[in-house]
Amino acid sequence: AQCMQKADIFDQQNLSISLWSFATLGYKNMNLFHYMTQLITERIKIFAPQGIANTVWALAKFQFQQKCLLMTIAEEAIPRLDDFDPQHLAIVAWAYATLEFPNRPLLSALCQAATRKMHIFSAQHMANMTWAMATLAHKDEEYLRRLALRVLEQVTDFNPQECSNLAWALALLTFRDDAVLAALSARSQEIVHEFIPQNLGNTAWSYNRMGYRDEGLM
C-alpha cells in the first residue's frame, strides 16, 4: 500500500529496485505492477543501465509482456548500449527472449555492443546472451565469430548449464565451429558428473543437430 501511495515520488533507482525486489520475492500485485510500469515508461529516459536491466528482468520474471514499456526501453537503450556492461547486455537480451519479444533493432544493437565488449564477457554472459539470440532466431555472424574466440579463451570457466545452453544455442543458430565444439565437449566431459538430465539431453541433441561426432562425449 505504501508503494502505491508513494511510487509517484520515487526516483528511477527506487522504481527499478522496487520492481526488481517484488519480482525476486514473488510478490505479484498487478495493480501496483501496472502503475509502476506506467511511471517507468514515462521516466525511462533518465534510467541508468542498471535500472533498465532491473526493470526488464522483473518483467521477464513475472512474464509480464508490457509492450509499450518494452518498445520504449528498446528505443531508449539502443543509442546508449556502450554504457551497458556485459551483465546489463546479457540481462536485457535474456529478458526480451524470455518474454518472446523480438525487437530486431534492439537485438542487432545488443549484438554489436556485445561484440565490442566480448573481451570482458564471462561464461555466463556468453551463454545467456547467445541463448537469447537463438531463442529469438536472431543470427549475427560477427557476434558469433567473436564469441567463438572468447569461448576458447574462457571454456574452463563454463559450468554444466552454460555448456549445454551454449551448445543448444549454436545448434539452433546453425553456427558450427569445430574448435568451439571440441572445447565445449572436453569441458563437458570434465564436469559431466554435475550434469542434470536436461543438460545431457540438450548437449546430445545439439551435437547431433550440428553433425559433430565425438565418441568421448557420447
Side-chain angles (χ1 to χ4, degrees):
Q2 289 296 312
C3 280
M4 181 71 87
Q5 293 171 12
K6 298 182 178 180
D8 62 331
I9 62 171
F10 282 7
D11 62 17
Q12 63 92 11
Q13 186 175 18
N14 295 144
L15 282 170
S16 66
I17 289 178
S18 295
L19 205 63
W20 177 88
S21 298
F22 294 147
T24 301
L25 294 170
Y27 176 72
K28 195 170 186 178
N29 180 321
M30 294 311 296
N31 288 333
L32 177 60
F33 219 62
H34 277 288
Y35 183 52
M36 292 185 72
T37 55
Q38 178 185 339
L39 292 174
I40 291 170
T41 303
E42 295 168 356
R43 304 176 189 180
I44 199 66
K45 289 180 182 294
I46 62 171
F47 272 50
Q50 184 66 59
I52 290 174
N54 285 347
T55 298
V56 295
W57 183 89
L59 293 175
K61 188 75 171 176
F62 277 140
Q63 282 293 306
F64 188 61
Q65 197 191 75
Q66 224 287 4
K67 293 184 178 181
C68 181
L69 178 53
L70 290 169
M71 288 294 296
T72 302
I73 286 175
E75 292 169 5
E76 291 298 326
I78 287 171
R80 298 168 50 195
L81 288 179
D82 280 339
D83 296 331
F84 285 52
D85 67 22
Q87 179 77 352
H88 301 144
L89 295 172
I91 287 173
V92 171
W94 173 85
Y96 275 73
T98 300
L99 290 166
E100 300 178 355
F101 197 84
N103 185 289
R104 297 300 167 190
L106 176 63
L107 297 178
S108 295
L110 284 168
C111 284
Q112 292 165 15
T115 300
R116 292 191 290 272
K117 299 189 178 192
M118 189 61 71
H119 63 288
I120 55 173
F121 264 54
S122 70
Q124 182 184 43
H125 301 145
M126 288 185 274
N128 289 351
M129 184 89 177
T130 312
W131 175 88
M133 295 304 154
T135 298
L136 294 175
H138 187 85
K139 186 175 184 178
D140 185 300
E141 293 282 355
E142 185 178 358
Y143 164 81
L144 291 170
R145 285 193 294 270
R146 185 64 190 89
L147 171 82
L149 296 174
R150 183 63 175 167
V151 170
L152 295 177
E153 296 171 353
Q154 298 291 310
V155 71
T156 55
D157 292 340
F158 278 68
N159 65 29
Q161 187 71 35
E162 292 155 358
C163 284
S164 62
N165 278 1
L166 185 59
W168 177 88
L170 295 176
L172 208 62
L173 291 168
T174 63
F175 181 79
R176 174 169 166 166
D177 183 301
D178 285 2
V180 169
L181 294 178
L184 284 175
S185 171
R187 177 57 178 164
S188 297
Q189 290 175 63
E190 288 175 358
I191 57 175
V192 70
H193 59 283
E194 301 174 24
F195 275 46
I196 62 174
Q198 184 179 12
N199 300 150
L200 292 169
N202 285 348
T203 300
W205 176 87
S206 302
Y207 276 74
N208 181 64
R209 181 181 174 96
M210 287 186 280
Y212 187 92
R213 292 188 60 81
D214 187 315
E215 297 300 334
L217 180 62
M218 298 305 166

